[in-house]
């Protein structure tokens, strides 16, 4: 009985270490160190430092391998661990980092996957995970807004190509080029130069640009932000509801444990009286 309890206790200690802030802080520090190492390799450094960076990179790769195996080992539901998107991403990045850089055919892939190790910072920090998950869930709603924006772009591009092609063929020659010009206008990249050029021939063409900017830069942009904020609010409410549900379950389990202890104590006291 004692060895079994010690085994369970040891497993619980490992789980506490895996979920501790100290462990998470160490992982974050190693990820940042990995990012700095990748950045340092882009500079011309002396051979000694280059060799040191290579040793450090191998050590970081080994750490990530041990870390992912440790997290997999302490996880009680192995299937759920592998089905989790963030865990799967971490595993693929770590496995990809094991590609030897001295292999000329795989050197580009290996370096690319080492760059993606920086993205592991998102999977480690819960707040960043929350933002990315909210953004991904907001994509379907943003897709309809983007479709409506594309329709407006196309209409204005067709109008601009019809009226302003004679002014500047390079900017308004066809619909595709006109859409690129309108993207320049929507991002406020020297858009006044484009407007003043057409105003020389069409004095009222400023209405074309003002209405387009109002629709794209103000209306649609705010709609995009509103869609993201709405999803973030829903995710936050769901997270709080799940937390409250977990707390109620924990309280219920504690109450049940107390009731069981009281029942056992009552039974012991009743048996003692009969004796």
């Amino acid at each position: 009985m004692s060895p079994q309890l010690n085994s369970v206790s040891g497993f619980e200690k490992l789980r506490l270490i895996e979920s501790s802030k100290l462990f998470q802080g160490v992982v974050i520090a190693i990820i940042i160190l990995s990012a700095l190492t990748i950045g340092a390799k882009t500079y011309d450094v002396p051979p000694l430092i280059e060799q040191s960076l290579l040793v450090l990179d191998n050590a970081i790769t080994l750490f990530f391998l041990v870390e992912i195996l440790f997290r997999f080992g302490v996880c009680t539901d192995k299937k759920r661990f592998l089905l989790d998107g963030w865990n799967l991403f971490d595993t693929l990045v770590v496995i990809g980092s094991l590609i030897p850089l001295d292999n000329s055919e795989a050197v580009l892939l290996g370096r690319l996957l080492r760059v993606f190790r920086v993205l592991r910072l998102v999977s480690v920090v819960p707040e960043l995970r929350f933002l990315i998950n909210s953004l991904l869930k907001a994509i379907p709603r943003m897709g309809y807004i983007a479709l409506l924006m594309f329709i407006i772009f196309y209409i204005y591009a067709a109008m601009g190509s019809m009226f302003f092609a004679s002014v500047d063929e390079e900017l308004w020659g066809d619909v595709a080029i006109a859409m690129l010009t309108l993207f320049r206008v929507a991002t406020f990249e020297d858009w006044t130069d484009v407007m003043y050029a057409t105003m020389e021939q069409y004095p009222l063409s400023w209405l074309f640009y003002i209405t387009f900017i109002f629709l794209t830069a103000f209306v649609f942009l705010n709609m995009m932000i509103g869609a993201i904020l709405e999803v973030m609010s829903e995710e936050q409410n769901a997270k709080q509801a799940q937390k409250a549900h977990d707390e109620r379950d924990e309280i219920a389990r504690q109450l049940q444990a107390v009731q069981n202890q009281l029942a056992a104590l009552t039974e012991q006291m009743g048996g003692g009286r009969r004796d």
Side-chain angles (χ1 to χ4, degrees), residues 130-173:
F130 172 76
L131 292 176
I132 296 299
N133 289 333
S134 300
L135 179 60
L136 292 177
K137 291 184 178 180
I139 287 178
R141 304 184 189 184
M142 294 169 60
Y144 291 107
I145 301 174
L147 178 60
L148 183 57
M149 185 183 295
F150 174 80
I151 294 173
I152 297 300
F153 261 81
Y154 189 85
I155 292 173
Y156 272 84
M159 293 170 56
S161 182
M162 291 181 202
F163 290 103
F164 306 142
S166 59
V167 177
D168 193 335
E169 187 73 20
E170 293 183 356
L171 296 179
W172 305 100

Side-chain angles (χ1 to χ4, degrees), residues 142 145 217-232:
M142 294 169 60
I145 301 174
F218 299 120
V219 176
F220 291 120
L221 179 61
N222 287 327
M223 289 174 67
M224 288 280 191
I225 296 174
I228 296 174
L229 291 178
E230 183 179 0
V231 172
M232 290 181 64

Side-chain angles (χ1 to χ4, degrees), residues 183-224:
F183 184 80
R184 169 183 172 182
V185 173
T187 55
F188 302 107
E189 179 63 29
D190 294 332
W191 71 277
T192 53
D193 296 340
V194 180
M195 181 182 68
Y196 291 144
T198 58
M199 284 180 63
E200 293 179 1
Q201 186 170 341
Y202 299 96
L204 295 179
S205 62
W206 60 271
L207 290 172
F208 174 87
Y209 298 97
I210 296 301
T211 55
F212 175 76
I213 289 175
F214 177 79
L215 288 173
T216 56
F218 299 120
V219 176
F220 291 120
L221 179 61
N222 287 327
M223 289 174 67
M224 288 280 191

Side-chain angles (χ1 to χ4, degrees), residues 32-225:
I32 295 175
L33 180 61
S34 174
L36 295 176
T37 303
I38 294 171
K41 289 182 179 180
T42 62
Y43 293 92
D44 292 329
V45 294
L48 180 60
I49 297 180
E50 184 177 358
Q51 188 66 26
S52 301
L53 291 175
L54 180 61
V55 173
L56 182 60
D57 182 80
N58 293 332
I60 292 172
T61 302
L62 179 61
F63 172 84
F64 284 145
L65 178 61
V66 173
E67 180 252 343
I68 201 70
L69 292 176
F70 174 72
R71 285 171 48 200
F72 179 76
V74 300
C75 183
T76 54
D77 191 350
K78 302 295 191 294
K79 183 178 180 181
R80 185 177 179 183
F81 180 89
L82 294 175
L83 292 178
D84 184 86
W86 291 111
N87 291 332
L88 183 61
F89 171 78
D90 291 344
T91 304
L92 292 177
V93 170
V94 170
I95 293 175
S97 299
L98 298 176
I99 298 176
L101 293 180
D102 54 354
N103 187 349
S104 59
E105 296 181 356
V107 63
L108 183 59
L109 179 61
R111 289 178 178 175
L112 183 62
L113 290 172
R114 278 166 169 77
V115 171
F116 276 105
R117 287 193 310 201
V118 182
L119 280 177
R120 290 204 59 212
L121 194 63
V122 177
S123 64
V124 173
V125 181
E127 289 76 10
L128 294 180
R129 267 203 321 267
F130 172 76
L131 292 176
I132 296 299
N133 289 333
S134 300
L135 179 60
L136 292 177
K137 291 184 178 180
I139 287 178
R141 304 184 189 184
M142 294 169 60
Y144 291 107
I145 301 174
L147 178 60
L148 183 57
M149 185 183 295
F150 174 80
I151 294 173
I152 297 300
F153 261 81
Y154 189 85
I155 292 173
Y156 272 84
M159 293 170 56
S161 182
M162 291 181 202
F163 290 103
F164 306 142
S166 59
V167 177
D168 193 335
E169 187 73 20
E170 293 183 356
L171 296 179
W172 305 100
D174 53 46
V175 172
I177 296 176
M179 291 183 72
L180 290 176
T181 303
L182 289 175
F183 184 80
R184 169 183 172 182
V185 173
T187 55
F188 302 107
E189 179 63 29
D190 294 332
W191 71 277
T192 53
D193 296 340
V194 180
M195 181 182 68
Y196 291 144
T198 58
M199 284 180 63
E200 293 179 1
Q201 186 170 341
Y202 299 96
L204 295 179
S205 62
W206 60 271
L207 290 172
F208 174 87
Y209 298 97
I210 296 301
T211 55
F212 175 76
I213 289 175
F214 177 79
L215 288 173
T216 56
F218 299 120
V219 176
F220 291 120
L221 179 61
N222 287 327
M223 289 174 67
M224 288 280 191
I225 296 174

